[in-house]
Amino acid sequence: MHPRRTTHARGLVLTVAVGLSMTACTSADPGEPERTAGGKAYGAPPASWCVSGTPSASPTAVERHRGALHDDFNGDGYSDVAFPVPYGDLSRGKTRRKPGYVAVVYGSSRGLRIASKQLFDQDEPGVPDVGEPGDYYGSSVTTADLDQDGYADLIVGTRENGRDEAYGSGGVEDGHMRRYHWQGSLSVVWGGRHGLSGSVTLPTRADSDDGVGAHIVAGDFDGDGAPDVATQVRGGDLRVLSGPFARDGWPAGGLHDVKGPGKTETRDLAAGDVNGDGVTDLVSVGATTAGSASRGDVLFWKGTHGGLTSAAALGGIHGPQDAGRTVAVGDVNGDGYADVVTNAFFQFVSRDSGNGGSGIEEEEYARKYRLPHLKSGAVVYLPGGKGGPDVERMTMLNQDSPGVPGVAHKDSGADEEGGTEYFGVGVSVGDIDGDGYADVSVGIPAKDVGGADGAGTVVALRGTAHGLTGEGAQLLTQDTRGVPGAAQDADAFGAATKIVDVDGDGHGDLLAGGETAPDGTPHGARGAVWVFPATPCGVTPKGSSVMGPSTLGAPKQFNSALGADFNS
């Protein structure tokens, strides 16, 4: 996952502000009953976000500026999208190598242009190294103009790149297990007038078991106006490559390690100016182990003119919940500070449970954060401010919150985890309706739809001057009228989401990933990505489309996981 969803510091990337369309919007009543056409049952259309027919603007909303974008590889003024497939293989025929690949599709005034697709793996001419089983090229991908030539570049992490040698010191002998040294690696594919081409390996000083490239993000972490790249290393530390970068990949500012809080398993990174000082900060989520207990952590790494500072765990968030899997950053309340949005999978543990729980009663936690039920996962919203993320103003939303469609269901499994529907997975932040407030998209990939178990749904939540709200939340499923496909068992629609303006109209379009191909092949066989246009009234299924591996010219393979993640 991983929407690793980045907001860059002021001054590094020209602001993409939005103009307001005053076109009246209409929508059918969200309470409209299901309809049937051609044997397919359709749910109600998404709720409209228009008030009295027209959208409302944030006081900070300004005319959209078509300037340089951090994800515009060919410099045409439209955002492009990369689809990492780390468990895929571009080799034809049956294979279990899984070296990984990355697909890229370019934006245009008509949206994503499938004809522009490009596929990259380590066997591609001009790409360094060679594809080997289990390398996972595309473990994480991000974008930034590393060489500052006006074109965004694609940075690719390969978490298990490395060497292997005989187990022990006695050399290679029959019957000996082999030991693998997974240093990991980073590489960059350079952007240019004609798109992406040419690639070099970035220097990372990767050593055995560093796992460089598992999670990466870009931003100006030292405030010098040049983009930097940060990668997780050794589980919970960071290694920062300080730009600008030469065409041989060398970072002019060198490499710097920043220590994490100890035994931490990083699960996602995001970047943005959370405290409003003009320097990019970094936020990570993961699990920190202390003795036999493990807790979910949200960590804040403050950006300064001397670089990132050591992580500070945000206290007050840890309740009876598992660690969030995804995190995103963006200005949801329009106050000029980037806010933090993550997810949580609640665990029902009590003070005397004896299983390493937090010692907080479920009912006590529910009362404190005004949640009627702690079930099926939640979205955690932390407003930014001068001091960084403001835990005191933290709010949480789940499927039992006002306005959020659906009903949360508690897991009855033996592990007592309440996140089986996984509300909040694949979180992304961006301005869908162009009102100057960033909105939030999330998946519920294990949600049942009609009679289809685990078909999955996607929810869009509105940003307002008061923060994130469930009021007017929009729901999309494969059974929503106009959405390609049909809900089936184990589709996992909503496994990942991404808000990105691919057609340059000032509204963030919504991309959603699922594990089942459009032809209905079950159980994660191929993966697919749905694209939903955005309007001043929110996302719409009208004009939506879907692409699978064959659409992109890639082989159809079991568990290729197209749509499981997007570039940050």
Side-chain angles (χ1 to χ4, degrees):
M1 106 120 64
H2 331 179
R4 293 165 269 90
R5 285 64 39 190
T6 308
T7 299
H8 295 261
R10 300 170 185 170
L12 172 59
V13 177
L14 294 177
T15 301
V16 182
V18 295
L20 296 174
S21 168
M22 301 305 291
T23 304
C25 300
T26 60
S27 175
D29 182 354
E32 167 184 356
E34 285 191 338
R35 307 177 302 281
T36 302
K40 176 179 176 179
Y42 294 93
S48 172
W49 285 358
C50 287
V51 179
S52 301
T54 59
S56 301
S58 159
T60 60
V62 296
E63 183 180 358
R64 185 177 187 272
H65 178 70
R66 289 286 297 275
L69 303 172
H70 75 92
D71 51 5
D72 181 7
F73 301 130
N74 59 1
D76 63 356
Y78 299 97
S79 290
D80 309 314
V81 182
F83 308 94
V85 189
Y87 301 100
D89 192 340
L90 293 181
S91 302
R92 299 289 170 177
K94 294 183 178 180
T95 175
R96 294 184 178 273
R97 292 195 319 144
K98 296 183 180 180
Y101 69 89
V102 178
V104 173
V105 181
Y106 291 79
S108 73
S109 61
R110 296 178 177 269
L112 292 178
R113 295 183 296 114
I114 301 301
S116 69
K117 62 184 181 292
Q118 289 182 287
L119 301 176
F120 298 94
D121 67 3
Q122 292 180 97
D123 293 327
E124 177 79 9
V127 176
D129 214 330
V130 60
E132 297 177 312
D135 275 353
Y136 304 124
Y137 179 80
S139 300
S140 184
V141 294
T142 191
T143 61
D145 184 4
L146 295 190
D147 57 355
Q148 297 186 300
D149 64 352
Y151 301 99
D153 308 307
L154 176 68
I155 303 104
V156 182
T158 308
R159 75 168 190 255
E160 293 186 8
N161 233 10
R163 68 182 191 279
D164 64 277
E165 62 184 26
Y167 182 82
S169 58
V172 179
E173 296 180 11
D174 290 341
H176 278 201
M177 295 177 62
R178 300 188 69 82
R179 179 181 178 186
Y180 293 86
H181 298 262
W182 291 319
Q183 299 103 313
S185 67
L186 296 178
S187 59
V188 56
V189 187
W190 300 110
R193 181 179 178 182
H194 301 292
L196 293 166
S197 65
S199 180
V200 297
T201 300
L202 299 177
T204 59
R205 294 201 310 255
D207 204 349
S208 296
D209 303 317
D210 274 355
V212 165
H215 304 285
I216 57 177
V217 72
D220 184 6
F221 303 119
D222 53 14
D224 66 353
D228 313 311
V229 177
T231 178
Q232 162 267 330
V233 62
R234 294 185 298 274
D237 298 339
L238 291 178
R239 182 158 296 161
V240 181
L241 287 66
S242 298
F245 289 75
R247 291 289 290 196
D248 63 0
W250 185 259
L255 284 72
H256 314 278
D257 280 8
V258 188
K259 293 294 293 183
K263 295 181 178 178
T264 299
E265 175 198 353
T266 299
R267 292 173 176 171
D268 200 10
L269 304 174
D273 188 2
V274 180
N275 60 5
D277 63 357
V279 182
T280 310
D281 308 305
L282 189 147
V283 181
S284 65
V285 292
T288 299
T289 301
S292 60
S294 178
R295 71 170 187 267
D297 265 338
V298 179
L299 304 177
F300 178 62
W301 313 68
K302 182 180 177 181
T304 72
H305 289 285
L308 291 172
T309 62
S310 296
L314 302 180
I317 299 176
H318 314 128
Q321 63 190 52
D322 192 10
R325 299 304 202 272
T326 56
V327 62
V329 175
D331 189 2
V332 174
N333 59 7
D335 64 355
Y337 299 96
D339 308 317
V340 178
V341 184
T342 184
N343 71 305
F345 300 142
F346 293 110
Q347 292 180 322
F348 294 79
V349 294
S350 60
R351 297 183 189 280
D352 58 355
S353 63
N355 65 351
S358 66
I360 301 176
E361 295 283 357
E362 171 194 335
E363 292 80 6
E364 174 188 334
Y365 198 70
R367 285 194 302 271
K368 180 176 180 180
Y369 294 111
R370 300 179 296 280
L371 278 175
H373 303 286
L374 299 180
K375 300 175 183 176
S376 297
V379 173
V380 181
Y381 167 67
L382 295 161
K386 289 184 178 180
D390 190 344
V391 177
E392 293 301 317
R393 293 194 292 152
M394 176 179 72
T395 59
M396 293 186 181
L397 298 173
N398 75 347
Q399 291 177 89
D400 289 332
S401 299
V404 178
V407 177
H409 296 285
K410 180 176 178 178
D411 180 17
S412 59
D415 64 359
E416 296 186 326
E417 185 175 334
T420 51
E421 291 182 326
Y422 299 107
F423 177 79
V425 162
V427 63
S428 183
V429 177
D431 190 357
I432 291 173
D433 56 353
D435 64 353
Y437 301 105
D439 308 303
V440 175
S441 61
V442 299
I444 321 177
K447 188 75 174 178
D448 297 344
V449 177
D453 295 339
T457 64
V458 172
V459 172
L461 303 167
R462 277 194 92 173
T464 72
H466 303 291
L468 190 64
T469 179
E471 297 297 336
Q474 295 185 303
L475 176 71
L476 291 165
T477 78
Q478 289 182 82
D479 280 351
T480 301
R481 179 177 292 277
V483 177
Q488 300 179 85
D489 291 349
D491 275 357
F493 177 72
T497 72
K498 180 177 176 65
I499 300 173
V500 55
D501 181 10
V502 296
D503 57 7
D505 66 354
H507 305 105
D509 307 299
L510 175 60
L511 277 59
E515 293 185 0
T516 297
D519 64 2
T521 306
H523 305 303
R526 301 171 188 173
V529 175
W530 282 257
V531 183
F532 297 97
T535 75
C537 301
V539 295
T540 176
K542 183 178 180 180
S544 59
S545 60
V546 65
M547 63 184 80
S550 58
T551 313
L552 301 176
K556 301 176 182 179
Q557 296 168 330
F558 188 79
N559 281 330
S560 64
L562 174 68
D565 198 7
F566 302 103
N567 63 282
S568 63

